Amino acid sequence: MSTSNNIIADARAFVDDFNERYVQKHEAFENQFWGTKMALKQGDFSTELLNQTKKDLEDLLSGQEILLKAKSLRKDIEMMKDSNDDNGDITKILDVIIRTCQCNEFPTLEAMAVREKTNEIEGNLQKARNGMNLGYVDSNGEFKVASSVGLRTVMRTNSDEAVRKSAYEALRSIGKFVSEEGFLEIVKLRNKLAKMLGYQDYYDYTVTNAEGFGKDKLFEILDGLEEGTRPLMVKAMQDLEKIHGKKALEPWNMGYMMSGNVIKKMDPYFPFSKSVENYIRSYAAMKINYCNSTMTLDLLDRKNKYSNGFCHWPVPAWIKSDGTFVPSKTNFTSLADPSAVGSGLTALTTLMHEAGHAAHFANIKQPSPLFSQERAPTSVAYAENQSMFLDSLVEDAAWRAKYARDVHGNPLPFDIHEESIRSTHPFKVFQLRGMLSVSYFEKALYELPDDEVTSEGVQALADKIEIEIQGGLNPRPLLSVPHLVSDEASCYYQGYTLAEMSVHQTREFFKTKYGYIVDNPNVGPTLARHYWECGNSRPFLELVRDLTGKELSEDAWINALKMDVEEFILQEKKEYDEMLKRCQTETQDDNIDLGMTVQFVDGDEIIADSSETSLLGACKQFESFVANRV
């Protein structure tokens, strides 16, 4: 018995020490990640420190002594004759340490050197990309600075084709820029590392670590989705040309032709300044709770800021060995321009998405921070499923009936929502094909021999994949997608595709069981219990099956794409009217508590802090800040 006690005591000391060392290094890296991505001036933030803190974190996770010790302790506990369930947490932690270290294993000095060189080039590229002078020429011939998100908004909403084309050409220029600023060398080094570790290439390495199955298995799934939706894409392209003419197929025209006019009509009902309050009220109605977390929100676009929304956790949520729960600390960002048409809807969708990530990771209640960090072995599809499910509500008629309101409190008229359906529903397949194209491009990119990884060759490959998968050049050029150049998001997009399959399956589950999703108080507790609390301790496919009662498949998604427009409008009208009727009898509750403290910032400037007022009080301060800025 004394030997067994010694083994357990040794294991407990090891996992406790590891957990504490991990959270320290994790937080140091995430603070640098935030400071450099947000281009903060106050504080000691630099590309060099970002690279160093990342190296420190990776050194901890890739060190052979940690992996060998964890394996040895795990074996000792397994061989104990009197082992019992009381040791469950310890073995569970040892297992996740082993899995995580194996995902970060760089067993030779050469492998570590390749990784460090890659990190260095990535840091320099990101710094250069943040400083890129992007913009478009407006109808007066003046150059207007705009982020990649701003350029895409211009393409969707500006009535001047020449302006839209200018915005598209600016997006195209990103590919040439990153290719000449180190991305091609990064591709070669990533592949070199993956092959040193025994994988086919970097794509295979990343997918295997994140999802638990390799590239070949992934593309069995994606090929089926690609083949099953190709006829829908061909028909959608034909219909778009029939309705709007051949020019509608130009990449700078597609988004505008499908929804440009209706976005302008919807704009007054999605005021950006109200976006945070609407997200908070919507989540509160679904009984989503953030478990005493702290969130920092940097939502407005500005020069030198990272060109994509994201949500990261400097402090992951976890339970210490003494039973103490450590609430998460979250940083999330978007790139809203309050003066731009359509910015309110875009910002709100981003908010609902990133806040979904935050809610998910705040609710993970496991005995190590490794269960609640977003990198491998956490499944990309698992992480994105939660956020995409929640941002999907913004398109629902019921959600818009209650939350899409102008400054006078008038709801979005159904005829505008109907116009939106008619202009977009027949073409929803384009979104699916856009997701697929990123994955097919990265697959092809990392399969290139090194001597073919040239600026011209990679740009030509991107165009080739766009034409093959999307039927023409992409309104969002593949090489402008920021995930490709970023270490933590490269070879990531298949996660969005798998997650979207799960989103439709999960929506189908809630609709079948309860008849509705918007403001359903069962949503938050159900997601927390079935999807969130376990963190990465269970496989994504298993979680989907356990909640929905079905294996993950594309069926629900494809059925949604195939749904007749008239039938869909009738269904949406019914849900819209039902929500308006409910709103007439409801009293608005301003005493909202999501179990979180929120701080609104704009770079270094603190706009509002809910700990000094209230959740809605901070929203009002943010609303005033936006009004003054516009």
Side-chain angles (χ1 to χ4, degrees), residues 137-155:
V137 178
D138 69 10
S139 55
N140 296 319
E142 296 181 11
F143 179 79
K144 297 290 184 181
V145 174
S147 66
S148 58
V149 173
L151 293 170
R152 291 166 65 199
T153 298
V154 167
M155 287 168 57

Side-chain angles (χ1 to χ4, degrees), residues 443-516:
K443 176 179 183 289
L445 174 65
Y446 288 102
E447 288 175 351
L448 286 177
D450 278 1
D451 60 359
E452 294 182 24
V453 182
T454 64
S455 181
E456 296 79 9
V458 168
Q459 291 177 74
L461 177 64
D463 289 349
K464 176 175 178 286
I465 295 295
E466 289 178 18
I467 292 168
E468 287 179 356
I469 302 298
Q470 295 183 262
L473 292 179
N474 191 345
R476 187 188 193 188
L478 283 170
L479 284 166
S480 73
V481 177
H483 299 65
L484 274 64
V485 302
S486 176
D487 169 58
E488 71 279 355
S490 57
C491 302
Y492 188 104
Y493 240 76
Q494 75 283 340
Y496 291 119
T497 307
L498 296 174
E500 188 70 15
M501 292 165 66
S502 173
V503 165
H504 285 277
Q505 201 161 311
T506 304
R507 283 177 60 90
E508 184 180 68
F509 163 79
F510 278 109
K511 285 285 190 78
T512 301
K513 183 169 183 177
Y514 298 106
Y516 71 111

